[in-house]
Amino acid sequence: MKSFIINCLLLIAVFIYPIHSQQFIVGCYFTNWSQYRPSHGYFIPSYIDSTLCTHIYYAFANINIKNRSPSPFEINDIQSIIINNSIQYMGMYEQFNLLKIKNQHIKTLLSLGGASVNSTKFRYIFQSNKIRQEFIQNTIKYLRKYKFDGLDIDWEYPETEKDRRIFSLLIRDYRLAFQNESFLTNRTRLLLTAAVAAYRPKIEASYNIKEITPFLDYINLMAYDYHDRHFLGNWNTHIGFNSPLYPRSTEIDNQRFLNQQATVKTWIDGGCPPSKLVLGLGIYGRTFQLQQKNNPNIKPYAPSKGPGLPGSYTNSSGFLSYYEICDLIKKHEWHTEYDKEQEVPFAYKDDQWIGYDNEKSIEKKCYFIAKQRLSGAMIWSLDLDDFNGSFCEQGKYPLLTKIKKTLEKLQKPIKNNTKNFIK
């Protein structure tokens, strides 16, 4: 009976006492595989400028079915290298959370899942109430042990109506467990966020927005990759922008949902308050091979042979980091244009084409965030910006810095939210 009363009080608290941000969120994802990139692409937690972010996400933790607990993907996530009884190299979790020394206000979250963790694992762990509760309790122990401030759920993606129900249950139960642990231990409650789909048909199939929204502190919209195989499955046959802000006038039917404005509208129309939404910004480009060299048809939906050539550092077909794009433009004289209709740039040379973001388009998106009264911005990912300042001639972290400075400029006064707001 006592447990029932406590849970009821905790449930009431979720709805009555939501978190209100006093500043725009700047969420930054760190990828633990970027440590394996060569030369200038090599990236580890100590390279993160924690003053540019309010929340940093460690991507990713795996789901250990046997132990019913989160687990590391890389051995050095948790394991330090010790030589002659002296730590020569700290585990990545430890390096990551040391960033809180430099910025005491930053929050660190562990992101569970990612594209490499399939739905089968999520279903097994979270569909049974008994296993779900055990996994959640083990998650709390794991987060506390490694000094994270919260958990980010990244299930890509719930696919069925049953998955949709499971997702609602796991979000609710995580939040209640976090609140209960905080109540019983007198510790600051662990944060709970989720990285979610951006394409309207996928959103509607994956989530009951009204059910999950009250239990999440923030919702990270993965508002990029609009023209890769996760959306329409046609990135091998047509080119398209990675992360357009607005639709094209020529788009029809579901193509009208392939932009950030449509993503935000879908979530708000579904019952999510704008103050819970964090707009994802891609610090990279999607590349395509045109049907022929010097093709005059370089607008979205022009025919494509498939993904473009891989970059020297990221080494992935159809994908280039922002610093690799800068290198192509400056050293290899790629042509650049800016699409005013969709508010994004693109570059091309011979039979290669890239849709990406630059400082101009990032600034436009920050103004959109403020106008829509969203909670802030999130980037994927830190290691894809020009973090060393070696390629773009714009200083270190040019895109992330632009986000931080623009949102600070647009921040509403805390005491009076009705004045000095942007027009």
Side-chain angles (χ1 to χ4, degrees):
M1 185 64 179
K2 181 180 179 181
S3 176
F4 173 77
I5 293 172
I6 290 174
N7 284 334
C8 287
L9 292 173
L10 294 174
L11 188 59
I12 291 170
V14 170
F15 291 92
I16 296 180
Y17 301 110
I19 284 182
H20 293 284
S21 175
Q22 294 187 345
Q23 68 177 112
F24 280 116
I25 286 171
V26 180
C28 306
Y29 277 86
F30 161 77
T31 59
N32 61 356
W33 58 88
S34 54
Q35 65 181 303
Y36 301 121
R37 293 194 181 121
S39 185
H40 294 292
Y42 173 79
F43 192 91
I44 55 176
S46 61
Y47 290 15
I48 298 172
D49 184 346
S50 62
T51 65
L52 296 175
C53 310
T54 62
H55 298 68
I56 49 176
Y57 297 86
Y58 193 102
F60 288 104
N62 200 356
I63 292 175
N64 187 317
I65 290 179
K66 181 179 179 181
N67 294 335
R68 297 177 180 178
S69 171
S71 62
F73 265 109
E74 308 296 336
I75 190 169
N76 66 339
D77 283 345
I78 60 174
Q79 185 171 314
S80 299
I81 297 175
I82 300 175
I83 301 176
N84 296 327
N85 296 320
S86 176
I87 295 178
Q88 301 296 313
Y89 185 90
M90 292 181 181
M92 300 280 268
Y93 285 176
E94 189 172 358
Q95 292 182 52
F96 192 73
N97 281 298
L98 281 176
L99 294 167
K100 288 186 278 192
I101 295 175
K102 186 176 182 181
N103 179 1
Q104 296 179 4
H105 300 291
I106 202 168
K107 300 298 182 183
T108 62
L109 293 91
L110 183 64
S111 191
L112 180 70
S116 61
V117 177
N118 60 41
S119 289
T120 301
K121 282 189 174 182
F122 276 97
R123 291 187 193 111
Y124 177 82
I125 288 296
F126 293 113
Q127 67 182 344
S128 160
N129 183 63
K130 181 181 178 181
I131 298 176
R132 181 169 68 249
Q133 296 300 335
E134 183 179 351
F135 190 91
I136 288 172
Q137 290 304 314
N138 287 336
T139 301
I140 293 173
K141 295 175 185 176
Y142 195 87
L143 296 173
R144 293 302 190 190
K145 178 179 180 180
Y146 295 110
K147 301 179 181 179
F148 286 97
D149 299 308
L151 182 73
D152 178 53
I153 303 292
D154 192 348
W155 179 352
E156 300 182 21
Y157 297 94
E159 299 166 355
T160 65
E161 181 59 34
K162 185 176 181 179
D163 288 348
R164 200 167 178 256
R165 292 194 299 271
I166 293 171
F167 192 83
S168 292
L169 288 172
L170 75 90
I171 294 297
R172 182 202 66 184
D173 288 357
Y174 259 119
R175 177 60 181 270
L176 294 179
F178 285 179
Q179 291 196 184
N180 188 50
E181 187 258 358
S182 174
F183 178 80
L184 294 176
T185 63
N186 199 31
R187 302 179 74 171
T188 301
R189 177 177 62 79
L190 293 164
L191 294 171
L192 182 63
T193 67
V196 298
Y199 179 46
R200 180 172 172 176
K202 181 72 73 175
I203 296 167
E204 293 173 342
S206 299
Y207 318 107
N208 186 318
I209 294 175
K210 290 183 179 179
E211 285 185 357
I212 65 174
T213 294
F215 298 102
L216 289 165
D217 291 305
Y218 306 114
I219 297 171
N220 293 324
L221 305 177
M222 293 189 281
Y224 32 73
D225 289 341
Y226 282 103
H227 287 89
D228 82 350
R229 61 189 179 277
H230 290 116
F231 283 87
L232 298 182
N234 68 348
W235 78 326
N236 289 324
T237 58
H238 297 85
I239 65 175
F241 289 126
N242 179 52
S243 186
L245 181 55
Y246 300 114
R248 293 188 81 74
S249 56
T250 56
E251 289 179 321
I252 59 173
D253 301 328
N254 281 356
Q255 291 176 348
R256 303 289 296 175
F257 303 134
L258 296 171
N259 60 84
Q260 294 177 318
Q261 182 187 57
T263 295
V264 170
K265 185 177 187 302
T266 300
W267 278 92
I268 293 175
D269 288 350
C272 181
S275 60
K276 291 263 183 140
L277 295 176
V278 178
L279 184 65
L281 307 177
I283 312 298
Y284 63 94
R286 285 292 181 184
T287 70
F288 300 84
Q289 182 182 11
L290 300 169
Q291 289 282 6
Q292 59 189 37
K293 288 186 177 181
N294 303 314
N295 188 342
N297 187 3
I298 53 172
K299 297 295 183 181
Y301 301 107
S304 164
K305 285 185 177 180
L309 296 173
S312 301
Y313 303 101
T314 54
N315 194 31
S316 180
S317 297
F319 180 95
L320 289 173
S321 66
Y322 181 61
Y323 61 84
E324 288 172 321
I325 295 169
C326 286
D327 198 43
L328 292 175
I329 293 170
K330 294 183 180 297
K331 291 185 180 180
H332 300 278
E333 300 180 341
W334 281 47
H335 306 285
T336 61
E337 293 188 29
Y338 192 87
D339 190 292
K340 293 183 178 179
E341 188 174 27
Q342 298 196 271
E343 292 289 1
V344 278
F346 60 99
Y348 56 94
K349 184 177 182 181
D350 297 330
D351 64 347
Q352 298 292 302
W353 187 96
I354 312 168
Y356 64 107
D357 272 292
N358 61 11
E359 286 189 282
K360 180 179 178 179
S361 65
I362 286 292
E363 185 176 47
K364 292 284 186 181
K365 292 175 180 183
C366 288
Y367 272 84
F368 175 81
I369 287 167
K371 186 176 181 180
Q372 296 294 319
R373 292 177 169 80
L374 306 185
S375 194
M378 167 273 284
I379 68 160
W380 183 272
S381 58
L382 286 158
D383 49 279
L384 302 176
D385 202 351
D386 188 15
F387 56 89
N388 280 320
S390 303
F391 295 91
C392 301
E393 299 178 359
Q394 300 162 339
K396 293 183 178 181
Y397 288 105
L399 297 188
L400 179 55
T401 300
K402 174 62 71 173
I403 293 167
K404 180 71 170 177
K405 289 184 176 180
T406 305
L407 290 179
E408 283 180 347
K409 180 178 67 176
L410 299 174
Q411 184 65 51
K412 295 179 292 182
I414 296 172
K415 291 183 179 180
N416 189 341
N417 291 337
T418 62
K419 295 181 180 180
N420 299 324
F421 191 65
I422 66 167
K423 296 181 179 180

